């Protein structure tokens, strides 16, 4: 057993991942990517952002060409949203094999009982768990490996991922305890606030979703300016004027959602948006919102389209990202193997 007394100091490092399951929305942008860019630009952290393609194949079968397209499109979305592949490490998971390799070790650390308690597993596998893939069950152990193969200290995610982050800490703690080391950090969750949760434009009580059959319920990052403007102008609201403060919106989720989106796009707060608009009519507010959204989002869809015109360049960016990632992941995996007692991995 290794010396348990010397606690290493961990480099402040952010890791987060998004599944390349197709169709980026305003929800992905405001809920995740804006935060990712902010953490990249603050300079307090090294930042690693990942298209988790191995996670994307845990559910239903995806057409191979579609998976490849979605992965490249997500990469284009990251870059168009402001992720700079020089400042951040931008990768697709499968191209950095240490994720899956550490994932196996963690399959042997995590307990069946822990996995059984995962609400996302229960939701996704449903009543027909017998027919779910083994990969779907092991999904959270691979996610823990994504994070810990970088010794990441901070992980920005949506609220729905908090349980997976707790499991990540449980795995790190059990590994450290079982092997008498202080090797893996207990990663902090950085949760996005309710204010950044973007709801459907047709039902303010439902999350904006790429799988909603009604396209007008969401803004796709690939929508052009006219489409973006039209969707906001036709968003569901009510005939009442805007209140001067948030209390007045507690029973008006559709309007609350538009106010949240406005604030997030503008980089202010919902309170500030309302303060200067008390008594304003929603028809007018929606036009203002449409203009703001077009100004902010049209450049993103244009840039995504430009990047998608040259998939070979995207592939070069991802290959370069993998090379940089492996400078971190290869030594951490090697040390893990050594700690476990697997032969042939001493530096
Ligand atoms: N499970 C995450 C989601 O569905 C995606 C993900 C995979 C992830 N690995 C990760 C997020 C590591 C953060 C860190 O949103």
């Amino acid at each position: 057993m290794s010396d348990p007394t010397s606690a290493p100091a961990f480099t402040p490092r952010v890791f987060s991942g998004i599944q390349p399951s197709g169709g980026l929305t305003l929800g992905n942008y405001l809920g995740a990517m804006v935060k990712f860019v902010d953490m990249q630009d603050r300079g307090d952290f090294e930042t690693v952002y990942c298209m988790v393609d191995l996670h994307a194949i845990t559910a239903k079968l995806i057409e191979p060409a579609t998976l490849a397209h979605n992965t490249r499109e997500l990469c284009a979305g990251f870059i168009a949203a402001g992720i700079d592949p020089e400042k951040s490490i931008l990768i697709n998971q499968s191209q950095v094999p240490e994720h899956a390799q550490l994932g196996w070790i963690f399959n042997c650390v995590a307990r069946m009982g822990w996995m059984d308690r995962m609400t996302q597993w229960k939701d996704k596998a449903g009543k027909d768990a017998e027919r779910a893939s083994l990969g779907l069950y092991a999904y959270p152990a691979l996610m823990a490996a994504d994070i810990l193969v970088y010794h990441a200290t901070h992980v920005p995610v949506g609220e729905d991922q908090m349980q997976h982050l707790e499991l990540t800490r449980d795995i790190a703690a059990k590994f450290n305890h079982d092997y008498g080391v202080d090797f893996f950090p207990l990663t902090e969750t950085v949760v996005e606030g309710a204010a950044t949760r973007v709801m459907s434009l047709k039902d303010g009580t439902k999350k904006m979703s790429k799988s909603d059959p009604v396209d007008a319920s969401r803004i796709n990052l690939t929508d052009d300016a006219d489409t973006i403007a039209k969707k906001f102008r036709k968003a569901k609201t009510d005939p009442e004027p805007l209140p001067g403060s948030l209390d007045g919106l507690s029973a008006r989720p559709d309007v609350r959602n538009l106010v949240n989106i406005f604030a997030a796009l503008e980089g202010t707060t919902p309170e500030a948006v309302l303060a200067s608009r008390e008594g304003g009519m929603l028809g007018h507010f929606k036009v203002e919102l449409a203009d703001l959204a077009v100004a902010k989002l049209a450049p993103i869809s244009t840039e995504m389209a430009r990047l998608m015109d040259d998939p070979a360049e995207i592939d070069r960016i991802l290959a370069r990202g993998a090379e940089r990632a492996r400078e971190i992941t290869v030594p951490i995996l090697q040390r893990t193997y050594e700690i476990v007692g697997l032969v042939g991995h001493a530096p």
Side-chain angles (χ1 to χ4, degrees):
M1 296 261 163
S2 320
D3 175 12
T5 54
S6 57
F10 294 102
T11 309
R13 189 176 283 146
V14 166
F15 181 94
S16 198
I18 298 185
Q19 287 202 37
S21 37
L24 281 173
T25 69
L26 181 64
N28 300 112
Y29 176 66
L30 292 178
M33 288 177 163
V34 168
K35 172 82 116 313
F36 294 177
V37 172
D38 180 52
M39 291 182 113
Q40 163 191 274
D41 291 343
R42 261 156 56 182
D44 312 339
F45 302 102
E46 285 181 26
T47 44
V48 185
Y49 297 121
C50 183
M51 289 121 252
V52 290
D53 48 8
L54 296 173
H55 279 118
I57 60 173
T58 55
K60 58 182 191 311
L61 183 66
I62 311 179
E63 167 74 41
T66 304
L67 178 59
H69 174 268
N70 291 348
T71 302
R72 294 192 180 101
E73 188 172 81
L74 178 53
C75 181
F78 269 121
I79 295 172
I83 297 300
D84 175 343
E86 293 303 317
K87 283 195 201 163
S88 291
I89 295 179
L90 187 58
I91 51 165
N92 60 314
Q93 186 186 29
S94 62
Q95 214 173 159
V96 182
E98 292 72 30
H99 290 236
Q101 289 176 290
L102 186 63
W104 178 258
I105 301 293
F106 287 171
N107 284 345
C108 302
V109 173
R111 305 290 94 183
M112 299 278 281
W114 301 1
M115 309 315 268
D116 285 336
R117 282 193 286 278
M118 294 293 111
T119 53
Q120 201 140 47
W121 155 253
K122 288 192 265 188
D123 290 349
K124 284 198 193 168
K127 288 194 189 66
D128 210 6
E130 297 257 324
R131 301 179 65 85
S133 76
L134 187 52
L136 186 66
Y137 191 63
Y139 180 117
L142 178 60
M143 177 164 163
D146 295 336
I147 295 163
L148 294 173
V149 81
Y150 295 89
H151 279 182
T153 55
H154 295 79
V155 177
V157 282
E159 267 169 357
D160 63 333
Q161 296 299 310
M162 283 174 74
Q163 196 187 29
H164 286 160
L165 268 295
E166 270 163 43
L167 183 93
T168 300
R169 286 187 288 273
D170 288 343
I171 289 176
K174 181 165 166 55
F175 182 97
N176 288 346
H177 176 266
D178 285 355
Y179 291 101
V181 291
D182 202 352
F183 185 61
F184 288 115
L186 301 184
T187 306
E188 265 179 58
T189 311
V190 184
V191 193
E192 69 198 32
T196 45
R197 199 165 333 116
V198 178
M199 311 306 275
S200 159
L201 299 182
K202 294 293 176 194
D203 177 352
T205 63
K206 274 191 353 198
K207 212 171 149 177
M208 181 179 285
S209 164
K210 63 187 169 220
S211 49
D212 191 314
V214 181
D215 188 62
S217 71
R218 67 179 157 266
I219 303 292
N220 305 298
L221 285 192
T222 48
D223 285 343
D224 62 22
D226 285 350
T227 311
I228 296 170
K230 194 183 311 139
K231 284 178 177 176
F232 276 117
R233 277 191 255 108
K234 294 197 168 167
K236 183 175 170 225
T237 45
D238 55 46
E240 301 299 316
L242 285 169
S245 76
L246 279 181
D247 305 340
L249 289 183
S250 49
R252 299 169 71 189
D254 299 300
V255 180
R256 171 77 215 232
N257 184 38
L258 297 187
V259 171
N260 279 352
I261 293 173
F262 195 102
L265 285 171
E266 207 184 32
T268 54
T269 61
E271 289 82 355
V273 171
L274 289 176
S276 56
R277 289 181 182 77
E278 180 162 18
M281 294 316 290
L282 277 160
H284 178 250
F285 180 64
K286 285 199 278 186
V287 172
E288 242 192 306
L289 174 56
D291 289 348
L292 174 64
V294 167
K296 296 276 179 182
L297 302 177
I300 296 178
S301 66
T302 307
E303 176 65 357
M304 274 179 79
R306 190 189 68 77
L307 290 161
M308 286 302 280
D309 264 350
D310 188 359
E313 175 59 14
I314 292 183
D315 292 4
R316 274 193 294 278
I317 290 170
L318 290 176
R320 172 75 190 122
E323 214 176 287
R324 289 175 62 207
R326 298 192 75 201
E327 288 171 19
I328 302 172
T329 60
V330 167
I332 289 178
L333 182 77
Q334 190 173 36
R335 178 76 186 115
T336 308
Y337 277 3
E338 223 195 335
I339 289 169
V340 171
L342 301 168
V343 169
H345 305 283

